[in-house]
Amino acid sequence: MKLSNVPAALALAAALILCAYSCKPKNTANAVSADAAQKTYVPPGKYDEFYDFVSGGFSGQMSVYGLPSGRLLRVIPVFSVDPQAGYGYSEETKPMLNTSHGFIPWDDLHHIEASQTNGEIDGRWVFGNGNNTPRIARIDLSTYNTAEILELPNSAGNHSSPFTTENTEYIVAGTRFSVPPDNADGDVPIDSYKKNFLGTISFVSVDKNSGNMKIAFQLKIPGINLDLSHAGKGPSHGWFFFSCYNTEQAHTLLEVNASQRDKDFIMAINWKKAEEYLQQGKGVKQQVKYAHNVYDEKTQTASSTIETEVTVLDVMSLPGIAYMMPCPKSPHGCDVDPTGEYIVGSGKLAALIPVFSFNKMMDAINNKKFDGTYENIPVLKYEDVLYGEVKKPGLGPLHTEFDGKGNAYTSFFISSEIVKWNIKDLKVLDRAPTYYSIGHLSIPGGDTKKPNAKYVIAYNKITKDRYLPTGPELAQSAQLYDISGDKMQLILDFPTIGEPHYAQAIEASLIKDKSKKFYDIMQNENTYATKGEPNAKVVREGNKVHIYMTAIRSHLAPDNIEGVQVGDEVYFHFTNQEQDWDIPHGFAIKAANTAELLVMPGETRTLKWIPEKVGIYPFYCTDFCSALHQEMSGYIRISPKGSKVPLAFGTGDKAPGGKDTTTISK
Ligand code: K7E
Ligand code: CUA
């Protein structure tokens, strides 16, 4: 890099930081329109119109809100252990968080994508990305369980992920960080970046019926940073578009060193062409290791398999897969409009929004009008692929969503606003302040062929002075705007869990009726299920003690257990016998160094415990399930190692020592 650029770039960065705090919109209090309460009021007992699936960012989870009320309905554990549900703590769910690096109890979930059929949300699944230790999760929208987690090899910083093609043929994931591939010697100097570091795009196929994910192939790309992506649709179906930054290939002080070039790129990937090469056997099989974790609904148990091979296609040596469209200044969002013709790149440091034309791109490619190459990939001319620019839209454009009526809505981080503009004439139509520093925004179906343009939701990074203070940390927030008219109208403000990035709002009518109410206990194929209280038992196998426990309002069986010793491996296999909606039972035992179990009706969950001290340990149900919930408890007696106390267990008359002889004095 040229040294003279350093002060200039640093000054720009400083100006942006200053602006983030000083360019706040004024008149916060006046911004809410008078009829807001009416528009967001969902009377007690009434349902919301939309489910909003919101990424939790550094919480690693996904939360579900109702819209327009903003009511929090659920937090779905995805990449992080969750003590509330026992996710990642129970023996059944631990394998979900296994990776080729072992058990990893946390990740950073940024983007949520809904499965699509014919370019429309079909309500089957939502997907989320693990940014840190690259993984993709699939969540089942009938159980709200994380059904599958697939690790991605040759990857670091799984950020431009998980975006879907229009029939969920593939969930696609690009790397934010380039690194040496997994099968190369990674012990190289960091300053050998240009020589040794590569990026990867994974095409993960999704089985139409089961939803099961599989890495179909990976593309080897130059060592740059992919930020975001979206699939083509309609005429551009078969293509995928990625925003690229750090095309400078810097490896230190990226703030400056990756902001040198006037233009970075939108990388256009012809994945149909990649499929052809794959069929012709042009893929190279590479030995790698990655975990594939699947939750089996029948056994209610997750398994983790370490896979060992991927097929890699090199876009730098296989012509026709990749093309570069110059895009100003470190683009972040990369969004495709509902018609599939317009591709919007949002340069974080750019003062305009370029809109690219798919048709013009195809013409340039077909006429081989290239402006040299970047790492052997043809570069197109900006003017040749540009449809036009939105001039002076705001500061710091990040993401764009569409209303399906010819308009686009772009979030501006620095100027804290949403700007509505027309796709055809590129004129700004409206702007609405956000409080503050909006990142993503979403319109229900806003990245599909068929948006439902009732609302746009802003996901804000900073909420300083918006809520009662809660120490140094304040909740991030979402803001709901009515966009049914010409002007955006702020109607609601609600705090979120973790840091929200992308979200998907889905019409409730699409999914609510298939929401599962309980699990049929007769279909429960968990190895340790206990069907019916008479089958409750305790079995010793060497130093392992299996407790087959049943729960039904309002007792546990067995609730008295003796003959267990210090150092035994004790497994509480807890089966909830209820067959009714919304009656979970919980399980916790004193001194267990894990979380509780929360067990749904008809389900089995296992808590492992190795008692370390002699004594009597109470256990109890943690979920207030009935008037006699506090009675739903029991005791286990832990004797010294080698003790002669016989194994005995039971409830009531069958308790060790027989009937409870307590009498009431009259
Ligand atoms: Cu938050 Cu999509 Cu990770 Cu933009 S990214 S804000
Ligand atoms: Cu079961 Cu409380």
Side-chain angles (χ1 to χ4, degrees):
M1 62 173 284
K2 281 190 238 106
L3 260 179
S4 63
N5 285 340
V6 176
L10 280 177
L12 172 64
L16 294 180
I17 290 165
L18 271 180
C19 196
Y21 296 100
S22 60
C23 303
K24 275 184 192 168
K26 306 282 170 346
N27 297 328
T28 19
N30 303 340
V32 182
S33 50
D35 56 347
Q38 202 187 332
K39 287 188 170 173
T40 58
Y41 184 65
V42 178
K46 290 281 183 253
Y47 288 153
D48 276 289
E49 190 183 347
F50 293 91
Y51 288 92
D52 194 17
F53 295 85
V54 181
S55 59
F58 44 68
S59 85
Q61 319 294 46
M62 207 178 267
S63 33
V64 189
Y65 298 85
L67 293 179
S69 73
R71 297 186 290 206
L72 175 65
L73 305 176
R74 207 39 224 286
V75 175
I76 305 172
V78 183
F79 292 117
S80 297
V81 290
D82 178 51
Q84 181 179 326
Y87 179 79
Y89 291 100
S90 68
E91 294 307 297
E92 283 81 3
T93 56
K94 277 181 187 170
M96 289 307 284
L97 299 177
N98 191 39
T99 73
S100 62
H101 306 276
F103 181 82
I104 298 200
W106 172 87
D107 216 301
D108 185 14
L109 195 164
H110 281 214
H111 302 126
I112 293 177
E113 183 82 320
S115 58
Q116 297 180 15
T117 301
N118 299 323
E120 292 179 30
I121 292 176
D122 59 24
R124 291 180 296 170
W125 310 294
V126 291
F127 299 86
N129 65 324
N131 210 1
N132 183 49
T133 304
R135 287 173 277 179
I136 292 176
R138 179 174 56 87
I139 287 81
D140 184 311
L141 292 184
S142 63
T143 60
Y144 292 71
N145 278 335
T146 298
E148 194 176 7
I149 292 182
L150 179 65
E151 189 184 0
L152 302 172
N154 292 323
S155 296
N158 173 40
H159 192 262
S160 45
S161 166
F163 294 98
T164 185
T165 53
E166 66 180 29
N167 292 297
T168 322
E169 293 93 342
Y170 297 110
I171 293 294
V172 178
T175 49
R176 167 180 172 200
F177 297 114
S178 285
V179 287
D182 288 0
N183 65 345
D185 179 8
D187 181 19
V188 295
I190 297 170
D191 73 3
S192 71
Y193 185 109
K194 287 188 188 185
K195 178 162 166 252
N196 291 315
F197 290 37
L198 288 167
T200 300
I201 298 169
S202 303
F203 281 77
V204 174
S205 62
V206 178
D207 184 272
K208 273 200 159 26
N209 301 311
S210 66
N212 270 19
M213 301 189 289
K214 190 176 166 228
I215 302 179
F217 57 92
Q218 289 191 315
L219 301 179
K220 186 206 278 189
I221 65 160
I224 52 177
N225 297 32
L226 297 182
D227 209 0
L228 279 153
S229 60
H230 264 106
K233 39 176 100 81
S236 55
H237 177 64
W239 289 79
F240 228 96
F241 304 93
F242 294 85
S243 53
C244 311
Y245 68 107
N246 191 24
T247 49
E248 294 87 349
Q249 302 191 308
H251 56 83
T252 180
L253 195 62
L254 263 62
E255 176 186 14
V256 174
N257 297 334
S259 305
Q260 299 299 301
R261 294 169 66 117
D262 185 43
K263 292 202 172 58
D264 291 279
F265 297 117
I266 299 279
M267 184 191 261
I269 294 288
N270 182 344
W271 56 263
K272 293 266 183 192
K273 187 83 190 167
E275 282 180 336
E276 280 171 31
Y277 280 125
L278 194 70
Q279 246 130 53
Q280 294 161 13
K282 296 283 164 61
V284 175
K285 296 226 185 301
Q286 187 189 322
Q287 299 311 304
V288 286
K289 279 209 166 93
Y290 60 100
H292 185 194
N293 310 330
V294 181
Y295 183 77
D296 182 335
E297 284 288 338
K298 285 204 186 105
T299 62
Q300 305 176 346
T301 305
S303 60
S304 178
T305 311
I306 298 293
E307 307 281 354
T308 57
E309 194 177 81
V310 284
T311 305
V312 179
L313 294 164
D314 181 352
V315 308
M316 291 164 285
S317 65
L318 296 167
I321 301 178
Y323 298 91
M324 296 297 212
M325 300 198 281
C327 182
K329 292 278 169 210
S330 305
H332 186 59
C334 180
D335 300 291
V336 181
D337 90 307
T339 68
E341 163 63 7
Y342 302 104
I343 302 126
V344 180
S346 298
K348 300 187 287 278
L349 306 178
L352 51 81
I353 305 173
V355 179
F356 300 97
S357 154
F358 176 72
N359 271 319
K360 289 180 83 173
M361 182 195 88
M362 288 311 294
D363 284 349
I365 291 172
N366 293 334
N367 296 322
K368 300 209 158 41
K369 276 185 85 181
F370 302 133
D371 188 15
T373 59
Y374 177 88
E375 302 269 325
N376 221 24
I377 299 170
V379 177
L380 298 156
K381 282 209 184 82
Y382 184 60
E383 309 74 55
D384 288 346
V385 291
L386 187 73
Y387 170 71
E389 291 169 342
V390 185
K391 307 278 193 214
K392 299 223 169 112
L395 289 175
L398 290 186
H399 300 280
T400 300
E401 291 263 298
F402 304 92
D403 66 3
K405 298 190 272 188
N407 304 309
Y409 293 73
T410 301
S411 58
F412 287 84
F413 178 79
I414 297 170
S415 51
S416 281
E417 59 186 334
I418 299 176
V419 174
K420 175 184 179 183
W421 49 277
N422 181 273
I423 304 173
K424 272 274 162 332
D425 64 16
L426 307 174
K427 290 267 180 335
V428 170
L429 300 171
D430 188 25
R431 44 181 80 237
T434 63
Y435 306 93
Y436 306 96
S437 303
I438 178 176
H440 273 272
L441 76 177
S442 75
I443 288 173
D447 70 340
T448 70
K449 276 180 170 171
K450 207 177 153 200
N452 179 337
K454 197 156 185 184
Y455 304 115
V456 64
I457 307 109
Y459 297 96
N460 303 314
K461 307 298 188 189
I462 296 172
T463 53
K464 205 179 271 198
D465 81 20
R466 293 295 287 175
Y467 302 122
L468 283 173
T470 52
E473 197 196 4
L474 295 158
Q476 275 86 352
S477 80
Q479 288 185 298
L480 184 71
Y481 297 77
D482 178 346
I483 57 167
S484 56
D486 287 344
K487 298 280 173 199
M488 290 176 264
Q489 232 189 345
L490 176 60
I491 52 175
L492 188 71
D493 207 349
F494 58 97
T496 60
I497 290 180
E499 183 185 357
H501 297 260
Y502 200 27
Q504 292 279 343
I506 303 180
E507 286 157 46
S509 58
L510 255 180
I511 47 181
K512 79 172 178 4
D513 292 336
K514 61 178 190 183
S515 202
K516 203 159 186 93
K517 293 201 161 65
F518 57 85
Y519 299 97
D520 181 347
I521 196 165
M522 297 324 288
Q523 310 280 318
N524 177 342
E525 291 177 23
N526 186 301
T527 319
Y528 300 100
T530 308
K531 297 176 188 175
E533 188 171 319
N535 298 313
K537 61 187 174 186
V538 180
V539 179
R540 176 180 281 284
E541 290 166 4
N543 76 328
K544 289 193 172 64
V545 178
H546 292 280
I547 300 169
Y548 294 80
M549 185 178 281
T550 61
I552 194 154
R553 284 164 287 179
S554 299
H555 62 275
L556 299 166
D559 71 357
N560 280 203
I561 303 162
E562 297 189 348
V564 180
Q565 302 174 8
V566 165
D568 278 342
E569 253 175 54
V570 183
Y571 294 89
F572 292 93
H573 305 294
F574 185 105
T575 303
N576 181 343
Q577 307 293 304
E578 309 282 352
Q579 293 287 274
D580 195 2
W581 194 16
D582 199 20
I583 310 289
H585 291 291
F587 180 81
I589 180 161
K590 179 184 171 182
N593 58 1
T594 173
E596 61 156 5
L597 301 173
L598 191 68
V599 188
M600 298 308 124
E603 194 181 53
T604 303
R605 283 281 180 268
T606 300
L607 183 140
K608 181 181 172 181
W609 178 52
I610 302 177
E612 288 177 350
K613 283 186 202 159
V614 168
I616 299 291
Y617 292 80
F619 49 81
Y620 67 100
C621 170
T622 51
D623 186 311
F624 208 108
C625 50
S626 70
L628 295 175
H629 152 81
Q630 285 295 81
E631 281 70 12
M632 201 166 176
S633 62
Y635 294 101
I636 184 168
R637 169 182 172 187
I638 302 298
S639 303
K641 205 173 182 62
S643 148
K644 293 276 177 300
V645 176
L647 193 66
F649 55 88
T651 301
D653 291 352
K654 301 210 177 68
K659 201 185 185 116
D660 199 332
T661 51
T662 317
T663 48
I664 303 163
S665 46
K666 302 230 165 138

